C-alpha cells in the first residue's frame, strides 16, 4: 500500500492530498488468504466527459506546456508551500492532460499499424514528433499497406516477416477498418466513442476461422495475428574443385 501511495503522489493529478483514482495493493498471505487494500477517491466512480462545461476535445492539436516537475504541498499554517520532487497536474490543466493522454493513445495505435506521418500528427515536438515525420528507417517508414479480413472483420495495418527460433513467421498488426479511418483522419473523439461501443463485441469475438495462427484482439480494436510461413527453396552453389 505504501508503494502504491508513493506512486500516486509522485504523479499527482489534482490538488494535494486528494486521490484522483482507485488504487489497490494486494497481499498474498499464504494460509491466511489474500488481503486487498483500497485507496479510493470520493464520488460514484463515473468518468466525466467534460470538465466545468469545457469539452476536452482530443481532435485539437496539443500545446507543449512547460509545467515545472514538482508537487506542491500547502503549509497547514498558511505559510509558504513546500515543493517536492514529482509531477503534478493542477485542476486548471485537467482538460489539457486529458487531451494529452487521448492523443498519445492515438499515436500509439497509429504507430502499431505502421506509418510515420499518421503517428506524427498526434505528437508534440517534445513527444518526438520529428522522429515520425517523413522517412526515418524501416520501422517507422512503413505505411499502412495491408488489409486483412478475419472472420468477416477487416483490419488495416502492416505486416512483418521474421524468424522465431529459426522458423519464418508473419506478424500482422492493425486496427479495425472503421476505427483506423477515424484516427488516420484525426477524429480521435469519434474513435473513442465507437471503440467504447464495440468493447462488448470484441470481448465475445473468437477468431476460429480465416487465419492460420494465433490472433490477439484488444478492446481498443487493435489486433496482432501471427502465422507460420513455408521455408523458401534455397539454391545451393556448386562446389568447385581446386
Amino acid at each position: 500500500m505504501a508503494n502504491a501511495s508513493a506512486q500516486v503522489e509522485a504523479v499527482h493529478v489534482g490538488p494535494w492530498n486528494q486521490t484522483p483514482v482507485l488504487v489497490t495493493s494486494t497481499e498474498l498471505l499464504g494460509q491466511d488468504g489474500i488481503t486487498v487494500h483500497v485507496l479510493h477517491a470520493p464520488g460514484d466512480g463515473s468518468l466525466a466527459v467534460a470538465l466545468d462545461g469545457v469539452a476536452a476535445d482530443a481532435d485539437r492539436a496539443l500545446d507543449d506546456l512547460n509545467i515545472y516537475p514538482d508537487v506542491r504541498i500547502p503549509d497547514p499554517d498558511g505559510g509558504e508551500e513546500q515543493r517536492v520532487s514529482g509531477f503534478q497536474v493542477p485542476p486548471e490543466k485537467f482538460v489539457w492532460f486529458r487531451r494529452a493522454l487521448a492523443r498519445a493513445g492515438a499515436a500509439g495505435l497509429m504507430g502499431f499499424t505502421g506509418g510515420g506521418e499518421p503517428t506524427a500528427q498526434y505528437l508534440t515536438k517534445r513527444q518526438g514528433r520529428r522522429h515520425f515525420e517523413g522517412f526515418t528507417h524501416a520501422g517507422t517508414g512503413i505505411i499502412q499497406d495491408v488489409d486483412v479480413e478475419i472472420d468477416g472483420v477487416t483490419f488495416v495495418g502492416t505486416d512483418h516477416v521474421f524468424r522465431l527460433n529459426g522458423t519464418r513467421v508473419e506478424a500482422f498488426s492493425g486496427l479495425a477498418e472503421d476505427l483506423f479511418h477515424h484516427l488516420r483522419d484525426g477524429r480521435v473523439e469519434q474513435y473513442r466513442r465507437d471503440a467504447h461501443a464495440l468493447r462488448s463485441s470484441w470481448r465475445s469475438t473468437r477468431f476460429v476461422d480465416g487465419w492460420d495462427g494465433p490472433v490477439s484482439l484488444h478492446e481498443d480494436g487493435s489486433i496482432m495475428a501471427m502465422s507460420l510461413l513455408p521455408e523458401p527453396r534455397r539454391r545451393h552453389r556448386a562446389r568447385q574443385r581446386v
Side-chain angles (χ1 to χ4, degrees):
M1 189 62 175
N3 290 338
S5 177
Q7 291 176 9
V8 169
E9 294 175 4
V11 180
H12 205 85
V13 182
W16 165 252
N17 208 26
Q18 292 190 18
T19 307
V21 293
L22 177 69
V23 181
T24 63
S25 176
T26 304
E27 289 185 86
L28 304 179
L29 303 176
Q31 297 297 327
D32 296 329
I34 301 175
T35 300
V36 179
H37 305 276
V38 179
L39 182 67
H40 68 91
D44 58 4
S46 60
L47 298 177
V49 177
L51 300 170
D52 298 329
V54 179
D57 186 2
D59 295 350
R60 294 169 49 196
L62 187 69
D63 296 328
D64 259 333
L65 299 185
N66 185 22
I67 301 178
Y68 193 81
D70 63 4
V71 176
R72 300 185 178 187
I73 304 176
D75 187 279
D77 298 327
E80 185 176 354
E81 63 183 5
Q82 179 184 1
R83 296 188 176 188
V84 297
S85 299
F87 186 85
Q88 183 174 14
V89 181
E92 61 269 20
K93 302 299 182 185
F94 279 177
V95 173
W96 173 87
F97 188 55
R98 187 265 191 188
R99 188 182 304 147
L101 294 177
R103 292 180 68 84
L109 286 172
M110 286 289 92
F112 183 71
T113 59
E117 291 293 339
T119 303
Q121 66 176 316
Y122 294 116
L123 300 176
T124 66
K125 183 177 180 180
R126 288 187 176 184
Q127 291 173 323
R129 181 181 61 217
R130 184 178 300 176
H131 177 74
F132 293 92
E133 288 179 332
F135 179 81
T136 52
H137 55 72
T140 57
I142 297 170
I143 60 173
Q144 298 97 340
D145 55 355
V146 178
D147 295 348
V148 172
E149 183 175 326
I150 304 178
D151 282 0
V153 181
T154 300
F155 296 90
V156 180
T158 189
D159 59 356
H160 300 270
V161 176
F162 59 95
R163 287 191 177 274
L164 185 62
N165 294 330
T167 303
R168 295 180 73 239
V169 177
E170 177 188 9
F172 169 78
S173 57
L175 191 66
E177 185 176 32
D178 291 343
L179 301 179
F180 168 81
H181 289 160
H182 288 326
L183 292 185
R184 180 198 62 186
D185 298 335
R187 299 189 297 268
V188 183
E189 294 294 347
Q190 186 64 48
Y191 159 79
R192 289 168 63 85
R193 287 191 292 268
D194 289 358
H196 186 271
L198 290 170
R199 291 180 65 188
S200 58
S201 63
W202 294 137
R203 294 193 191 111
S204 60
T205 299
R206 296 292 183 269
F207 292 113
V208 295
D209 298 314
W211 186 267
D212 185 18
V215 176
S216 175
L217 177 65
H218 288 191
E219 293 181 357
D220 57 8
S222 62
I223 191 172
M224 169 70 80
M226 303 180 70
S227 64
L228 299 181
L229 295 177
E231 289 292 334
R233 296 184 61 183
R234 298 179 179 275
R235 294 182 179 180
H236 297 280
R237 293 183 179 179
R239 294 184 178 179
Q240 295 180 354
R241 294 182 179 179
V242 179

